[in-house]
Amino acid sequence: MKRTFLLLCIFCMIASVNSQQTVKSPEPFGPLPTQKQIDWQEMEFYAFVHFSLNTFTNKEWGYGDESPELFNPTSLDVRQWAKVVKESGMKGIILVAKHHDGFCLWPSAYTERSVKNSPWKNGKGDLVKELAAACKEYNLKLGLYLSPWDRNRADYGKQEYVTYFRNQLKELLTNYGDVFEMWFDGANGGDGYYGGANETRKINTLEYYNWDETYKLIYKLAPKTLVWGVGPSEARWIGNEEGHAGKTNWSLLRQKDELAGKVHYTEFMSGHEDGEKWVPGEADVSIRPGWFYHTVEDDKVRPLDEMVDIYYESIGRNATLLLNLPVDKRGLIHENDQTRLKELVSTIKEDFKTELLAKSKVKADNFRGNSNEFAAKNVTDQKNNSYWATDDTVKTTSIVFEFNKPTPLNRIVLQEYIKLGQRVKAFNVEAKVDGNWKTVANETTIGYKRILRIERVTASALKINITDSKASIVISNIQAFNAPTFVRMPEIQRDKSGNITMKSEDGNAVYYTVDGSKPTKKSTLYKGEFQYNKAVEIKAVAINTSEDINSAIKTSKYGASKENWKVVSVSSGDLNSANRIIDGNPNSDWSFGGDSNKLPQEIIIDMGSVLNINGFTYMPHQVGNNLNLISNYEFYTSLDNQKWTLQSQSEFSNIKNNPIEQVKTFKKDDARYIRFIAKSAVGKGSTVSIAEINVIETL
């Protein structure tokens, strides 16, 4: 009898094992990533470097007529770049090898417009080669940007230029080792120098370059290279230059429609749920307002608050983050940029210091075939190739993590096993607080990685409810963390009359200074609106008094207040409402021009007294999709509204994709009147808009 019972137990055990062995893995669903795309997404965070002739001409887009002899960095050190990037947790560097002005950072055999005709290293230097070596030394991947547009080439717009463009691709992809990403800008065709022909050349971006053939060339030369940008690319622009993806972000794209011109770039933020191709998003953003280095932006490095938001709204929303570092005239990453990077790295490291779910008890409503191979515990084992999966028919389910004791948490990380496709359409998160379940998040897509920032809760259990999915659920990783309290910087505003207001979140105390010194608890406590009419640099800090935690320092610079400013004349538009451009409110705007008042159009402003100025700023309209942006301008000053001096004329480069405050500087001069001329508009429009005009006053 005992022997019979023992044999029966052994038979049941064998049957159970065999049953588990026969449970099939989930079938792939929908478009799938290639291994190249998976490797790329796993990089998560990498650097962009803009450094070229524009660095020395103080431009964003060179016109194509600048001399190569202007390129002359005094202390160029690509190893410094690589060291900074590595210490910041980034995995690679994409170098702008040639921007729109056509200047090449390598000694191309196909043009004289390159480093070989610059003073740098007596024309014997090769910046791409040096950076490739530095990346190898610091175990970073090298990527390259090659502008399809060239404002210098006389043959741009002709077939001969496409041959030139491909020849340069061959040089870059065969002479410098592996290139992880080839980056093609979408700016193509427009005005330029074109070998001396100052004119506008129009092309059909999708047809002119014959992207299918260009891509075949790339893949033949460099099969490991992922191609980003225009054409049938393997990764997409996220649709803005602000560094954030949509809360809903599919790694899929209707690329056939895109190539047919049927997809607006704003759709790139979220991708397409019904996309036929896997084309994940890359969020690109500069650490400063501009992409190239400008001295005037040394104090305009993005604040820590904004950098942290960018991290969570890019990597935390199923995108990669490409962060631009504008190398300065020395050839170095500026100290201010390094400081901000160190602050960002420190913050992110602290946010994800201790994982909380690894020691919890995990259970799920369903796991595939009741097989341990697909059990709920797989989401906490920190292995890339294990996952929790449900039966084929199960598209809604829950997974619960029970703690040994109530545990505070405010960050949640989720990852799908994307080798089998992106599936989850909607989910929510519940926390068990004092015995009751409380919903703490309602979200849509997950994809490669989704990071949630929630209000801190002290929970005895955490529940993830998948409420909608395209197919059976396949989740590789779920984590939770308790990040330190992050105190945001206070907001500072000053109106036309010089009235200053400050605001902080959650009633945090604000302390400030007006003499440029660092604010502390010993500084002036903000108690309400006050007036300061003179030019001033205000520094303020918010302090969470309950936890004694400070924010980063907020700095705001102002010239003399505008209470005496007056719009004297406008060439069109309503004069009575034109004061919106000098009211100190960037959210109000004013328009002029139009079908019956063709550009150029001008406005004259009396500043009420003589000021010593060395620049001006133009704030474009900030709300909506049709911003009526000005692309080219002229700026004059006068002491008497009669005799005018032209101080600056140029273009607001890249304003279409980056509609931020435009800063232009010139030599110091005394002025009472300013005259601003809008010469042309983005997209050849006839109406243009201004939110605010300011001058840069010498302090």
Side-chain angles (χ1 to χ4, degrees), residues 288-345:
R288 295 171 174 233
W291 291 92
F292 283 94
Y293 175 81
H294 309 287
T295 304
V296 72
E297 293 179 356
D298 282 349
D299 62 351
K300 293 181 174 60
V301 179
R302 292 183 188 270
L304 178 61
D305 298 31
E306 194 172 341
M307 295 300 300
V308 171
D309 286 344
I310 285 169
Y311 182 91
Y312 278 104
E313 294 176 10
S314 56
I315 295 171
R317 290 182 179 176
N318 190 36
T320 60
L321 174 56
L322 176 59
L323 178 64
N324 181 62
L325 306 175
V327 169
D328 65 23
K329 292 180 181 180
R330 298 171 300 174
L332 302 173
I333 296 173
H334 194 274
E335 292 81 359
N336 293 2
D337 301 29
Q338 292 185 59
T339 298
R340 187 66 73 249
L341 283 171
K342 289 177 182 177
E343 292 173 344
L344 174 64
V345 169

Side-chain angles (χ1 to χ4, degrees), residues 573-617:
D574 177 27
L575 178 61
N576 292 327
S577 60
N579 64 350
R580 292 175 188 164
I581 71 171
I582 57 172
D583 63 0
N585 180 6
N587 295 317
S588 65
D589 71 287
W590 175 80
S591 300
F592 61 156
D595 292 338
S596 59
N597 295 287
K598 301 294 185 182
L599 299 177
Q601 295 289 317
E602 69 174 46
I603 186 165
I604 296 176
I605 298 170
D606 177 5
M607 297 185 291
S609 61
V610 175
L611 302 178
N612 187 252
I613 63 176
N614 67 326
F616 80 97
T617 69

Side-chain angles (χ1 to χ4, degrees), residues 97-98 102 104-114 116 126 128-129 132 142 144 146 163-179 182 217-218 221-222:
K98 186 194 84 168
C104 302
L105 295 181
W106 78 102
S108 175
Y110 299 98
T111 182
E112 295 302 305
R113 189 171 173 77
S114 78
K116 65 187 177 185
D126 185 338
V128 180
K129 182 178 180 180
L142 174 69
L144 294 170
L146 182 69
T163 301
Y164 167 77
F165 175 64
R166 290 178 182 169
N167 282 335
Q168 291 196 320
L169 269 176
K170 291 177 186 177
E171 288 182 315
L172 293 174
L173 293 173
T174 57
N175 293 335
Y176 301 104
D178 289 342
V179 174
M182 196 73 225
L217 171 67
I218 294 169
L221 296 172

Side-chain angles (χ1 to χ4, degrees), residues 140-168:
L140 297 167
K141 294 184 178 182
L142 174 69
L144 294 170
Y145 167 123
L146 182 69
S147 172
W149 185 23
D150 194 317
R151 300 174 98 177
N152 171 265
R153 293 287 298 188
D155 56 2
Y156 181 76
K158 303 175 182 178
Q159 183 57 41
E160 292 89 336
Y161 174 76
V162 177
T163 301
Y164 167 77
F165 175 64
R166 290 178 182 169
N167 282 335
Q168 291 196 320

Side-chain angles (χ1 to χ4, degrees), residues 110-134:
Y110 299 98
T111 182
E112 295 302 305
R113 189 171 173 77
S114 78
V115 288
K116 65 187 177 185
N117 284 313
S118 75
W120 177 61
K121 292 196 171 182
N122 296 316
K124 304 298 182 182
D126 185 338
L127 187 50
V128 180
K129 182 178 180 180
E130 289 192 14
L131 183 59

Side-chain angles (χ1 to χ4, degrees), residues 381-642:
D381 65 6
Q382 298 184 9
K383 295 179 180 178
N384 290 338
N385 289 316
S386 69
Y387 51 86
W388 162 52
T390 62
D391 292 323
D392 286 339
T393 57
V394 176
K395 299 179 183 179
T396 60
T397 190
S398 298
I399 184 170
V400 177
F401 305 86
E402 295 182 350
F403 300 112
N404 292 328
K405 61 180 181 179
T407 302
L409 60 92
N410 58 6
R411 299 287 187 274
I412 301 166
V413 179
L414 303 101
Q415 294 183 269
E416 291 187 79
Y417 188 71
I418 60 172
K419 287 184 178 181
L420 297 178
Q422 186 178 1
R423 300 161 178 247
V424 174
K425 296 171 65 176
F427 70 98
N428 63 52
V429 180
E430 294 179 90
K432 199 169 190 178
V433 180
D434 297 330
N436 299 311
W437 286 107
K438 174 185 177 182
T439 300
V440 295
N442 279 291
E443 301 294 344
T444 53
T445 52
I446 296 176
Y448 165 73
K449 180 174 282 188
R450 187 68 191 275
I451 308 176
L452 307 182
R453 289 184 288 182
I454 63 172
E455 293 292 325
R456 182 179 286 112
V457 292
T458 300
S460 58
L462 188 71
K463 183 192 296 185
I464 312 294
N465 303 304
I466 309 298
T467 57
D468 196 5
S469 182
K470 290 182 173 183
S472 61
I473 294 141
V474 182
I475 304 290
S476 64
N477 180 44
I478 301 177
Q479 297 175 305
F481 301 85
N482 184 32
T485 299
F486 186 80
V487 182
R488 291 188 174 274
M489 296 186 303
E491 297 177 13
I492 305 175
Q493 290 186 337
R494 190 178 77 166
D495 65 17
K496 179 179 178 179
S497 299
N499 296 314
I500 294 173
T501 56
M502 302 183 189
K503 183 172 64 173
S504 64
E505 63 176 2
D506 300 327
N508 292 332
V510 178
Y511 293 85
Y512 70 93
T513 63
V514 293
D515 60 2
S517 62
K518 181 180 178 180
T520 67
K521 282 184 178 179
K522 295 181 180 180
S523 303
T524 305
L525 173 65
Y526 175 73
K527 297 180 179 179
E529 180 181 285
F530 64 95
Q531 192 173 60
Y532 206 103
N533 301 94
K534 297 181 293 184
V536 64
E537 180 180 73
I538 300 175
K539 291 186 176 182
V541 63
I543 299 179
N544 181 318
T545 53
S546 62
E547 297 186 49
D548 196 25
I549 301 174
N550 293 8
S551 72
I553 295 173
K554 172 72 173 180
T555 302
S556 296
K557 288 184 177 181
Y558 300 99
S561 58
K562 296 179 179 178
E563 70 266 27
N564 295 321
W565 284 35
K566 180 181 179 182
V567 176
V568 175
S569 66
V570 295
S571 56
S572 65
D574 177 27
L575 178 61
N576 292 327
S577 60
N579 64 350
R580 292 175 188 164
I581 71 171
I582 57 172
D583 63 0
N585 180 6
N587 295 317
S588 65
D589 71 287
W590 175 80
S591 300
F592 61 156
D595 292 338
S596 59
N597 295 287
K598 301 294 185 182
L599 299 177
Q601 295 289 317
E602 69 174 46
I603 186 165
I604 296 176
I605 298 170
D606 177 5
M607 297 185 291
S609 61
V610 175
L611 302 178
N612 187 252
I613 63 176
N614 67 326
F616 80 97
T617 69
Y618 155 58
M619 174 68 80
H621 183 34
Q622 296 293 295
V623 181
N625 290 325
N626 186 13
L627 302 180
N628 295 323
L629 301 167
I630 298 168
S631 61
N632 290 75
Y633 73 90
E634 291 178 355
F635 186 86
Y636 296 81
T637 61
S638 173
L639 289 169
D640 58 6
N641 199 17
Q642 299 295 322

